[in-house]
Amino acid sequence: DGGITQSPKYLFRKEGQNVTLSCEQNLNHDAMYWYRQDPGQGLRLIYYSQIVNDFQKGDIAEGYSVSREKKESFPLTVTSAQKNPTAFYLCASSIQLSSGEQYFGPGTRLTVT
Amino acid sequence: QQQVKQSPQSLIVQKGGISIINCAYENTAFDYFPWYQQFPGKGPALLIAIRPDVSEKKEGRFTISFNKSAKQFSLHIMDSQPGDSATYFCAAIYLSGNTGKLIFGQGTTLQVKP
């Protein structure tokens, strides 16, 4: 089955700790994305990557970091600098950057206390 | 300029009724308008999409109406069913700009009552 996997589904961390969210795709897509979803705010773009070893900041990149060492993987690190990290995080991919169709993973719900 | 405004924020419809969700945009460079459907605890999935050179696109019970001059588009769900209960996002993208940025509306939570 082709698709996007995100793990874990639920993640709990103490304030001040960095945490890394996993995203893997086997769709052979070039582009990958990270979004943050908060109630009533839609989907906000954190980072995106067009190809391996290249990524760009989205609209709310502060307090987050990413890497793209392999085509299939695009992990997101939520650092202690992110002021309000508790949210639902969604990873997505598309065939190429200029594609209107993005495929989303099931999401990771991060709770920081 | 980059925003997509979506309304209403929430919607309750009786089974068999018509659900209507509206979106408006400012950037006339947008050239692809998809709608995504998201069930609770899941990631969004593409539902239906339209380009600005057509005024309407229908897929089953789902129809997009597009008004280029008004810079508005809407999703109509005919014969709404309880299984349609989900959050719906409209979106817009400038495909030719090659930025990869899908601009999403704020979302509409639809509840279809049996």
Side-chain angles (χ1 to χ4, degrees):
Chain A
D1 273 342
I4 300 179
T5 55
Q6 290 185 245
S7 60
K9 189 165 182 62
Y10 299 96
L11 192 53
F12 298 89
R13 280 293 182 271
K14 294 288 188 186
E15 196 173 314
Q17 293 179 337
N18 291 354
V19 59
T20 297
L21 281 59
S22 167
C23 177
E24 303 277 332
Q25 56 101 354
N26 61 3
L27 299 168
N28 199 32
H29 286 173
D30 284 330
M32 297 187 74
Y33 314 81
W34 274 105
Y35 292 91
R36 170 180 171 139
Q37 185 173 21
D38 297 284
Q41 294 205 43
L43 299 165
R44 293 186 290 170
L45 182 64
I46 305 172
Y47 267 98
Y48 61 102
S49 168
Q50 184 173 4
I51 55 172
V52 173
N53 292 324
D54 180 68
F55 46 82
Q56 305 296 327
K57 290 182 179 180
D59 301 316
I60 56 164
E62 186 175 346
Y64 300 98
S65 66
V66 293
S67 62
R68 186 88 187 272
E69 297 176 2
K70 298 187 299 182
K71 187 175 183 178
E72 303 80 18
S73 179
F74 191 41
L76 173 75
T77 297
V78 184
T79 75
S80 56
Q82 167 51 232
K83 295 194 184 338
N84 296 297
T86 295
F88 189 50
Y89 291 88
L90 287 158
C91 179
S93 70
S94 63
I95 291 175
Q96 56 188 19
L97 198 63
S98 58
S99 170
E101 183 172 2
Q102 294 184 8
Y103 294 78
F104 285 82
T108 291
R109 187 165 298 279
L110 172 65
T111 302
V112 176
T113 57
Chain B
Q1 186 90 16
Q2 283 290 84
Q3 280 187 325
V4 176
K5 295 183 179 179
Q6 184 172 348
S7 63
Q9 188 172 356
S10 63
L11 182 62
I12 300 174
V13 173
Q14 290 295 129
K15 178 182 175 181
I18 302 173
S19 304
I20 302 174
I21 303 170
N22 301 299
C23 287
Y25 64 97
E26 289 293 325
N27 189 345
T28 54
F30 288 145
D31 53 10
Y32 187 74
F33 301 86
W35 284 87
Y36 283 79
Q37 180 188 53
Q38 182 182 28
F39 293 107
K42 306 290 186 185
L46 180 67
L47 180 65
I48 187 172
I50 196 168
R51 291 185 182 270
D53 53 348
V54 298
S55 60
E56 186 175 282
K57 183 172 181 180
K58 185 175 180 179
E59 289 185 3
R61 295 183 295 107
F62 299 90
T63 300
I64 301 178
S65 297
F66 191 87
N67 186 331
K68 190 174 181 178
S69 60
K71 291 185 284 187
Q72 295 175 347
F73 58 110
S74 60
L75 176 69
H76 296 235
I77 306 174
M78 313 300 288
D79 186 25
S80 298
Q81 299 296 313
D84 297 330
S85 297
T87 299
Y88 293 82
F89 293 97
C90 62
I93 188 171
Y94 176 32
L95 289 181
S96 303
N98 199 32
T99 63
K101 282 194 175 186
L102 256 180
I103 309 298
F104 287 93
Q106 290 78 8
T108 296
T109 301
L110 170 65
Q111 182 184 359
V112 181
K113 290 196 167 183

